[in-house]
Amino acid sequence: MFKRKFLTFLSLCALPLLTLDAEEHLNKEKYESLTGFKGSYNEKEQVFKASFPRNDIKISVDNIQLDPFMGLTSWSAFIPVTENKFMVMGDLVLFQDEVNPVMSDLLNDHLEVTALHNHFFYDTPKVYFMHIGGEGVIGDLAAAIKKALDTVKDIRSKNSSPSNSFGGPSISNNNSIELSTLEKIFGIKGQSKDGMVKFVFGRSVKMGDVTLGSDMGVNTWAAFAGTNGNAVVDGDFAILEKELQPVLKALRKGNIYIVAIHHHMTMESPKMIFLHYWGKGNAEDLAKTIKESLSLTK
């Protein structure tokens, strides 16, 4: 009985076919078997690419309805790195209420989120593009992407129209954030205006022979409004490339929403990435999440 169970266990372990022999030829059919995606294979570049058109909701740009062919198609592309290791890169077409749940899924499954921005003006509903990447076993990479796509389907099945708010209680226009309470959390002096408070953490880069600092825009900041118990926070993180993924994970763990990831400069050294965020909740809890995320930066 034990021998039969053990042999069954070995046979089940072999089912995913997630590793390759060195001489095994990769082709479209093999990639489709390994990933579970239908796609195309570029033999010259050795790249397998799977595309996922956003044809579930009609999208208009400048009052012109666009077909997914016009840039409204999510995709993921795989390329071998070593014998049993692959790299994936991709771009996901997402609505505002899909961005952060999908980001959390990808980060939890060890993929990287490398950019988040818009491609259009006057788009209805508003569309964002999340660029992703990662390395590992091809079956694991594909499973992570499939999970993200399934999350999109689940969100849309519950609400066919994209949401126009993060939800939660409304924020009071009579701002009364206690500056001293948040100063204790951040450990620096803050700024205050009409019941709102703001904290700025400077960094520096070199551009040619010129050093640029906080007042030239190289800074992380957080601004709070509302009340201590029901606040909103928004701001930027100025971070090194190696800091991006840990900071994203820390902010999402604290339920702070990421709304953009991009660069603000070119030719600076070291290279600085900027992420923009928005959070709602207890002011102290929000501040603690931002403080924890700051601790992951240099």
Side-chain angles (χ1 to χ4, degrees), residues 245-278:
Q245 304 308 313
V247 169
L248 287 175
K249 291 177 182 178
L251 290 171
R252 288 301 301 133
K253 182 180 177 182
N255 202 35
I256 287 181
Y257 304 106
I258 312 302
V259 298
I261 306 168
H262 52 209
H263 62 83
H264 286 189
M265 301 168 284
T266 60
M267 307 303 290
E268 79 276 16
S269 179
K271 183 67 181 173
M272 199 68 66
I273 303 295
F274 291 79
L275 71 85
H276 302 256
Y277 63 89
W278 175 266

Side-chain angles (χ1 to χ4, degrees), residues 49-215:
K49 185 173 183 178
S51 297
F52 315 97
R54 283 307 303 255
N55 49 23
D56 53 325
I57 291 183
K58 296 185 185 302
I59 301 170
S60 296
V61 177
D62 196 18
N63 295 315
I64 301 167
Q65 186 175 316
L66 288 193
D67 188 276
F69 178 80
M70 297 292 289
L72 296 170
T73 296
S74 299
W75 59 269
S76 59
F78 302 82
I79 190 170
V81 177
T82 61
E83 181 180 335
N84 293 315
K85 187 177 183 180
F86 288 76
M87 177 184 292
V88 65
M89 293 187 71
D91 190 4
L92 302 180
V93 181
L94 302 169
F95 298 113
Q96 292 175 100
D97 57 352
E98 300 166 355
V99 166
N100 283 276
V102 166
M103 183 181 296
S104 290
D105 282 345
L106 294 168
L107 294 172
N108 290 339
D109 285 335
H110 311 294
L111 265 65
E112 295 185 348
V113 176
T114 55
L116 174 65
H117 51 208
N118 62 295
H119 286 191
F120 303 105
F121 280 169
Y122 309 115
D123 41 334
T124 306
K126 202 166 183 62
V127 186
Y128 283 86
F129 294 77
M130 183 185 295
H131 300 262
I132 63 173
E135 292 188 12
V137 177
I138 189 170
D140 293 343
L141 299 174
I145 293 168
K146 184 180 185 302
K147 181 179 177 181
L149 295 172
D150 286 344
T151 293
V152 170
K153 291 179 181 177
D154 182 59
I155 292 171
R156 292 282 66 86
S157 69
K158 295 175 180 176
N159 185 2
S160 59
S161 298
S163 301
N164 56 14
S165 169
F166 285 117
S170 60
I171 304 297
S172 173
N173 291 323
N174 298 317
N175 302 306
S176 58
I177 302 295
E178 293 179 5
L179 177 62
S180 60
T181 300
L182 300 191
E183 284 180 333
K184 291 177 183 178
I185 294 172
F186 287 117
I188 66 169
K189 290 293 183 182
Q191 307 166 29
S192 63
K193 179 182 182 294
D194 301 329
M196 301 172 288
V197 302
K198 185 175 184 178
F199 296 86
V200 181
F201 308 86
R203 302 194 75 163
S204 64
V205 298
K206 294 274 288 186
M207 193 172 290
D209 295 328
V210 180
T211 298
L212 306 179
S214 181
D215 280 349

